[in-house]
Amino acid sequence: LDDLANRKHHADILIDQNLYSNYQNRYVDLVNKECIQLLGPKYAILNNRYKELRKNLNVNKDYKDVLVSFGGTDKFKLTEQLLSTFSSRPDLNEYIFHAVITKSFKNKSLLRSYSRYENIKIYDDLDCLSNLMYECDFSIGAGGTTTWERFAMKLPSIVIALAQNQVESAYHLKKKGFIDFIGTAKELPEDWIEKIICRIKDKKNLERQSKKISQIVD
């Protein structure tokens, strides 16, 4: 299993589920000729729960339930910044924000306190995001493997890269119209939250994105 394509391998099978402009040729000179290469989201490694839930997805979404999930630590405190804004904006009262945190978050107590708002729900240490993705219409989160879970659930998303190895793929997915990528966590524009709010309110774009990504991961 690899997603860097920066070293040689000798293997029977190589899997890289990520999508890049050159994803079919990334390992040409890096693997032995007998190696079977399984490349791209067609070979996404997903929990079986996604397969089962995918069968019953609601096609008539109102785009009011928003998933907020930035992995196991969220060291850039993006969840905290988003909830601080969402809880103070009357124009967002019609939306429900479902924020996922873990025991590794440094600001757990503060984040849990946002559950006092009617439109903010906090979830602790979920073992899988499948059920929450099934309930939500839209996602704000990181790149990486969660991307393919969202695609499988036809979940449009705004993506912020938390690591450098997420950037190349994120730019390519943005170019194809599969995601809204607004940058890396270290270099976000000052108005990044306003950009997110604008995208949340653009229902036509969300519908268009949902249809496109559903064809990438079956």
Side-chain angles (χ1 to χ4, degrees):
L1 307 179
D2 193 6
D3 64 359
L4 297 176
N6 64 355
R7 59 230 153 146
K8 290 187 176 182
H9 300 290
H10 189 281
D12 299 310
I13 300 172
L14 181 140
I15 303 174
D16 184 343
Q17 63 191 350
N18 297 289
L19 189 60
Y20 307 91
S21 59
N22 64 333
Y23 78 98
Q24 293 177 315
N25 302 309
R26 297 179 84 221
Y27 296 92
V28 168
D29 298 320
L30 297 178
V31 296
N32 46 302
K33 64 180 181 179
E34 301 87 4
C35 180
I36 298 170
Q37 299 179 49
L38 307 181
L39 308 176
K42 178 180 179 180
Y43 301 102
I45 303 170
L46 303 179
N47 190 306
N48 278 333
R49 297 182 195 176
Y50 292 96
K51 178 180 178 180
E52 297 306 313
L53 291 172
R54 164 94 174 210
K55 298 174 183 176
N56 301 305
L57 281 177
N58 181 10
V59 294
N60 298 312
K61 298 182 177 183
D62 57 11
Y63 294 96
K64 299 299 181 185
D65 285 272
V66 183
L67 171 63
V68 180
S69 176
F70 287 100
T73 59
D74 191 10
K75 64 180 180 179
F76 298 101
K77 297 184 178 181
L78 302 174
T79 305
E80 179 182 332
Q81 296 176 67
L82 287 170
L83 295 186
S84 176
T85 301
F86 293 161
S87 63
S88 63
R89 291 281 296 261
D91 59 319
L92 298 177
N93 287 342
E94 62 183 306
Y95 296 89
I96 300 176
F97 298 96
H98 304 262
V100 179
I101 66 174
T102 74
K103 59 186 176 183
S104 299
F105 276 47
K106 294 182 179 180
N107 51 348
K108 293 188 293 293
S109 297
L110 174 60
L111 288 168
R112 290 190 185 111
S113 72
Y114 282 105
S115 62
R116 69 183 184 273
Y117 294 95
E118 288 187 7
N119 67 331
I120 295 179
K121 299 182 183 298
I122 306 295
Y123 303 82
D124 274 274
D125 290 312
L126 297 179
D127 64 339
C128 184
L129 294 177
S130 57
N131 289 342
L132 203 49
M133 287 189 180
Y134 181 79
E135 294 177 15
C136 289
D137 310 315
F138 175 63
S139 172
I140 306 168
T145 56
T146 311
T147 300
W148 315 119
E149 295 171 351
R150 294 190 294 249
F151 279 30
M153 301 302 287
K154 306 181 183 181
L155 198 65
S157 57
I158 289 178
V159 172
I160 297 172
L162 302 184
Q164 189 59 39
N165 66 334
Q166 298 176 2
V167 174
E168 182 185 352
S169 180
Y171 273 119
H172 179 67
L173 295 174
K174 176 184 178 180
K175 183 178 179 181
K176 291 290 186 180
F178 297 145
I179 65 172
D180 282 311
F181 177 50
I182 59 174
T184 65
K186 290 182 178 180
E187 301 175 338
L188 287 173
E190 290 186 8
D191 61 342
W192 68 277
I193 295 182
E194 287 302 318
K195 289 180 182 294
I196 286 177
I197 291 173
C198 287
R199 286 164 171 77
I200 288 174
K201 295 180 178 181
D202 189 352
K203 183 178 178 179
K204 287 186 177 180
N205 180 57
L206 297 176
E207 290 176 335
R208 185 163 51 246
Q209 193 182 114
S210 180
K211 290 178 182 177
K212 292 185 73 171
I213 63 178
S214 67
Q215 301 170 31
I216 304 302
V217 179
D218 64 22

